[in-house]
């Protein structure tokens, strides 16, 4: 079996990466950087985002500050590599989104949307399933269920615990009691509206700026494939986001 290992860029993590490679090779795995069968992500949830881009099943090893979605403790690496060969794991599928604008196309694991670029409000309309609404503020984000534990939760305080839904988060809306909407997993168009003068706003995907829009431009966010994670231990995102739980 061919294995690729990616990690958090941290000197504290590099020895763990070397150890994982040594263990994998001793168990008969081939380290393959270009065409692996499985990707091992060693780090936090940000490392998991990078691993998703390879389009291969993922093993997640904790080595980050939060690591809500990582299930393997570093001391369990040899154990889970043996279990992987034996097929002793379960498959967890995470729904991805695709954000499209002009020639830009990007798959996202957590969220995508339109955010202000200058320190002033923007007006964005969201259209989905024959309905629409308009919000003025700092922008709008569309989050997956797994994305709802991150940036979106900081904005709305909402945890989306069902698989076939999306959260529309209104970022600092002006004169609105509504901060988020839970909608079916569907295609959503975001349109930047004109305030009567030139403006631009950022297109964001998983925390990165991937382009800019101006009034009248449309960003389309649609359901995409599922990312596959091989799980060896149960995870509980609520335990990470609610530290008072016992």
């Amino acid at each position: 079996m061919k294995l690729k290992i990616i990690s958090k860029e941290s000197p504290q993590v590099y020895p763990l990466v070397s150890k994982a490679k040594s263990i994998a090779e001793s168990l008969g795995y081939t380290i393959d950087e270009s065409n692996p069968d499985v990707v091992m992500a060693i780090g936090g949830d940000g490392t998991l985002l990078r691993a998703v881009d390879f389009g291969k099943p993922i093993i997640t090893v904790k080595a980050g500050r939060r690591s809500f979605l990582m299930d393997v403790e570093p001391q369990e690496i040899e154990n889970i590599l043996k279990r992987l060969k034996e097929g002793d794991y379960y498959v967890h599928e995470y729904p991805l989104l695709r954000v499209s604008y002009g020639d830009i196309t990007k798959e996202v694991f957590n969220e995508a949307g339109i955010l202000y670029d200058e320190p002033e409000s923007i007006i964005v309309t969201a259209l989905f399933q024959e309905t629409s609404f308009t919000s003025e503020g700092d922008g709008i984000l569309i989050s997956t269920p797994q994305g709802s534990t991150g940036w979106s939760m900081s904005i709305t305080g909402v945890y989306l615990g069902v698989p076939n839904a999306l959260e529309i988060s209104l970022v600092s809306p002006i004169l609105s009691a509504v901060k988020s909407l839970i909608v079916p997993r569907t295609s959503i168009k975001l349109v930047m509206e004109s305030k009567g003068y030139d403006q631009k706003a950022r297109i964001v995907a998983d925390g990165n700026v991937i382009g800019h829009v101006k009034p009248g431009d449309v960003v389309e966010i649609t359901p995409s494939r599922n990312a596959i994670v091989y799980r060896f231990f149960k995870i509980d995102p609520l335990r990470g986001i609610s530290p008072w739980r016992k």
Side-chain angles (χ1 to χ4, degrees), residues 3-9 33-34 36-61 69-70 94 96 106-110 206 208 225-231:
L3 181 70
K4 179 181 178 66
I5 300 176
I6 68 168
S7 71
K8 179 180 180 181
E9 298 297 327
E33 297 296 328
S34 59
D37 299 308
V38 180
V39 175
M40 177 183 286
I42 302 177
D45 295 340
T47 309
L48 173 57
L49 295 185
R50 291 170 48 211
V52 168
D53 288 340
F54 292 96
K56 303 290 185 177
I58 302 165
I59 301 169
T60 62
V61 179
L69 300 176
M70 318 298 272
Y94 290 93
L96 304 183
K106 171 69 174 173
E107 278 191 328
V108 297
F109 186 83
N110 280 339
D206 282 341
N208 298 308
R225 65 182 175 92
N226 287 352
I228 304 298
V229 178
Y230 290 164
R231 294 295 187 195

Side-chain angles (χ1 to χ4, degrees), residues 6 30 76 122 228:
I6 68 168
T30 299
E76 294 286 348
I122 58 174
I228 304 298

Side-chain angles (χ1 to χ4, degrees), residues 73-87:
E73 298 290 346
Q75 66 271 19
E76 294 286 348
I77 289 177
E78 183 172 359
N79 173 33
I80 63 100
L81 286 175
K82 290 178 179 178
R83 289 176 60 184
L84 177 62
K85 280 197 165 186
E86 297 166 357

Side-chain angles (χ1 to χ4, degrees), residues 125-133 187-191 218:
T125 295
L127 304 98
F128 58 97
Q129 292 191 329
E130 301 181 354
T131 189
S132 66
F133 69 90
S187 296
I188 299 173
K189 291 182 178 180
L190 299 179
V191 183
V218 179

Side-chain angles (χ1 to χ4, degrees), residues 102-163:
D103 295 332
I104 298 171
T105 301
K106 171 69 174 173
E107 278 191 328
V108 297
F109 186 83
N110 280 339
E111 74 282 304
I114 296 176
L115 290 181
Y116 73 97
D117 189 63
E118 301 292 339
E120 60 176 346
S121 67
I122 58 174
I123 301 174
V124 181
T125 295
L127 304 98
F128 58 97
Q129 292 191 329
E130 301 181 354
T131 189
S132 66
F133 69 90
T134 300
S135 174
E136 181 175 2
D138 289 346
I140 291 179
L141 291 176
I142 312 300
S143 300
T144 62
Q146 63 270 13
S148 75
T149 65
W151 194 0
S152 179
M153 173 164 283
S154 298
I155 297 168
T156 67
V158 173
Y159 169 56
L160 181 56
V162 295

